[in-house]
């Protein structure tokens, strides 16, 4: 019955997209502005087969809109996929897998004695709920940041006109309703409370009148709480509950919660680096608009480097046998070196270089979850 409800809501959302969710074939009102901002003068735009995350080719956007109007299911699903911000989805999936692996490793006999016929469907449902929460937060941000994104991220489906506000709201409401239903019915009440709290602070990050993204400190605290603490604690707690083991803060879980909270704080700051023009135009105060791209990148890199030093010192100062020293020391030393090398490649006056730097920050974030399963 629960799975039937989930399927019904998803089909309803897709059906709404099909009937009236996506924009008409009229030219997007700010397409010319976006083209001018995104493509330097005397530089021929790359030919793209489709509009994807991080790319903006007005012709590709127009083709995508035409495909949607012609009834292409593939084009609608592609726009919906873009709407969920794939790079954040990857972080959520990796965090879930790493947290699950860590909890199973930390629980003697859990892997061999687990009832996988029950555990696996529950794990899939939990992952689905996390992805719905992710879609709710990034989706509502695109709705309320549409004008900003038309300058900063014209490749996003709401900003580009591939998806109408109505379709975006259907996706957001469906995610915001279905996610809590799944968590309430399948997981402990503590996790339901934490999940809804995450949705709440993720929502007020974008929604007026609170709109915490307008305050750099509140914005950083919001993202650090959701992606740093709630995700890592929640997944570990859920797995422990599923295998019938009591929750306890292990040194490894405590470490990753600290490390990822600090890292997510840096992501909250560096995410504004590619958005400086649109934020200035819409009077959004960020560290990047206040002190400049170069100084923010320097400060962020220094904080991340300090975080890696903290990881290495945690391994060195812990009791023998607490961590596997090769990944704990060597792995973090390698990632710290990669950070330094990539920072040295940054040209703060080149938007493409700034975007590459921000992508590198996420790449290192993903790699940390790999280390988490090994330490």
């Amino acid at each position: 019955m629960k799975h039937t409800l989930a399927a019904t809501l998803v089909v309803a959302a897709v059906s709404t997209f099909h009937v009236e969710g996506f924009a008409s074939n009229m030219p997007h009102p700010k397409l010319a502005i976006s083209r001018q901002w995104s493509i330097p003068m005397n530089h021929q735009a790359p030919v793209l087969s489709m509009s994807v995350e991080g790319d903006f080719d007005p012709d590709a956007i127009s083709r995508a809109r035409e495909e949607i109007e012609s009834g292409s299911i593939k084009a609608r699903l592609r726009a919906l996929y873009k709407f969920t911000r794939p790079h954040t989805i990857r972080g959520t999936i990796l965090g879930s897998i790493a947290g699950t692996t860590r909890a199973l490793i930390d629980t003697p006999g859990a892997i061999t004695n687990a009832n996988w016929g029950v555990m696996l469907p529950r794990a899939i449902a939990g992952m689905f709920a996390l992805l719905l929460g992710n879609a709710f937060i990034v989706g509502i941000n695109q709705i309320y940041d549409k004008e900003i994104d038309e300058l900063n991220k014209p490749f996003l489906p709401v900003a580009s006109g591939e998806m109408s506000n109505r379709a975006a709201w259907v996706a957001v409401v469906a995610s915001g309703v279905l996610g809590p239903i799944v968590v309430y019915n399948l997981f402990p009440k503590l996790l339901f409370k934490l999940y809804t709290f995450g949705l709440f602070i993720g929502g007020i990050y974008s929604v007026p009148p609170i709109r915490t993204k307008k305050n750099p400190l509140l914005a950083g605290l919001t993202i650090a709480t959701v992606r740093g603490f709630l995700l890592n604690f929640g997944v570990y707690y859920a797995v422990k509950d599923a295998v019938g083991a009591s929750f306890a803060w292990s040194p490894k879980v405590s470490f990753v919660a600290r490390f990822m909270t600090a890292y997510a704080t840096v992501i909250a700051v560096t995410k504004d680096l590619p958005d400086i023009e649109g934020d200035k135009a819409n009077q959004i105060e960020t560290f990047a608009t206040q002190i400049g791209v170069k100084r923010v990148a320097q400060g962020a890199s220094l904080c991340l480097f300090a975080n890696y030093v903290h990881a290495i010192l945690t391994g060195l100062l812990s009791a023998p046998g607490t961590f596997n020293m090769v990944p704990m020391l060597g792995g973090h030393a390698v990632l710290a070196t990669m950070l330094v090398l990539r920072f040295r490649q940054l040209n703060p006056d080149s938007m493409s270089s700034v975007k590459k730097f921000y992508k590198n920050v996420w790449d290192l974030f993903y790699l940390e979850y790999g280390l988490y399963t090994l330490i």
Side-chain angles (χ1 to χ4, degrees), residues 24-261:
S24 67
N25 202 33
M26 295 296 291
H28 191 253
K30 294 195 177 182
L31 197 60
I33 296 175
S34 298
R35 181 195 291 268
Q36 183 178 15
W37 183 86
S38 302
I39 305 172
M41 294 181 63
N42 301 322
H43 179 76
Q44 186 175 358
V47 177
L48 303 176
S49 59
M50 66 176 183
S51 154
V52 296
E53 175 82 8
D55 292 323
F56 181 69
D57 177 358
D59 294 332
I61 293 289
S62 297
R63 288 195 298 272
R65 286 159 56 84
E66 289 173 0
E67 289 175 8
I68 289 167
E69 288 298 317
S70 69
S72 170
I73 297 297
K74 181 178 179 181
R76 295 189 187 95
L77 292 177
R78 190 166 63 227
L80 183 61
Y81 173 69
K82 289 166 58 180
F83 183 70
T84 62
R85 305 305 304 278
H87 72 284
T88 63
I89 284 181
R90 286 192 290 270
T92 300
I93 292 175
L94 287 173
S96 300
I97 294 173
T100 300
T101 303
R102 183 76 268 158
L104 292 175
I105 293 174
D106 289 350
T107 308
I111 297 177
T112 56
N113 298 327
N115 183 351
W116 290 105
V118 174
M119 281 274 294
L120 191 56
R122 188 175 180 182
I124 293 172
M127 177 79 76
F128 181 54
L130 287 174
L131 294 179
L132 288 172
N134 192 100
F136 173 85
I137 293 172
V138 300
I140 205 165
N141 177 258
Q142 290 173 68
I143 292 172
Y144 283 97
D145 277 14
K146 180 179 179 180
E147 291 188 2
I148 300 174
D149 289 340
E150 285 170 347
L151 289 176
N152 289 337
K153 302 181 182 78
F155 52 85
L156 292 179
V158 176
S160 70
E162 291 177 72
M163 182 184 289
S164 72
N165 281 355
R166 183 180 180 84
W169 273 115
V170 169
V172 164
V173 171
S175 299
V177 171
L178 184 56
I181 289 175
V182 172
V183 176
Y184 182 83
N185 284 282
L186 296 179
F187 297 96
K189 295 302 178 284
L190 173 61
L191 293 185
F192 173 73
K193 293 177 181 177
L194 292 176
Y195 184 88
T196 53
F197 174 68
L199 292 186
F200 172 73
I201 64 174
I204 64 173
Y205 172 85
S206 302
V207 178
I210 301 176
R211 200 161 161 78
T212 55
K213 70 167 291 176
K214 296 176 66 175
N215 183 297
L217 293 178
L218 290 178
L221 183 62
T222 299
I223 294 176
T225 300
V226 173
R227 192 162 287 281
F229 173 75
L230 292 179
L231 173 63
N232 295 293
F233 169 80
V235 170
Y236 192 87
Y237 186 98
V239 176
K240 282 286 192 176
D241 177 78
V243 299
S246 59
F247 174 82
W249 283 103
S250 73
K252 296 172 182 177
V253 178
S254 298
F255 160 73
V256 81
R258 294 194 308 271
F259 186 96
M260 287 307 203
T261 299

Side-chain angles (χ1 to χ4, degrees), residues 325-346:
M325 299 305 282
V326 172
M328 189 65 178
L329 304 185
H332 286 108
V334 169
L335 296 188
T337 302
M338 292 172 61
L339 169 69
V340 172
L341 293 176
R342 290 176 176 183
F343 171 73
R344 293 181 64 181
Q345 297 171 354
L346 171 66

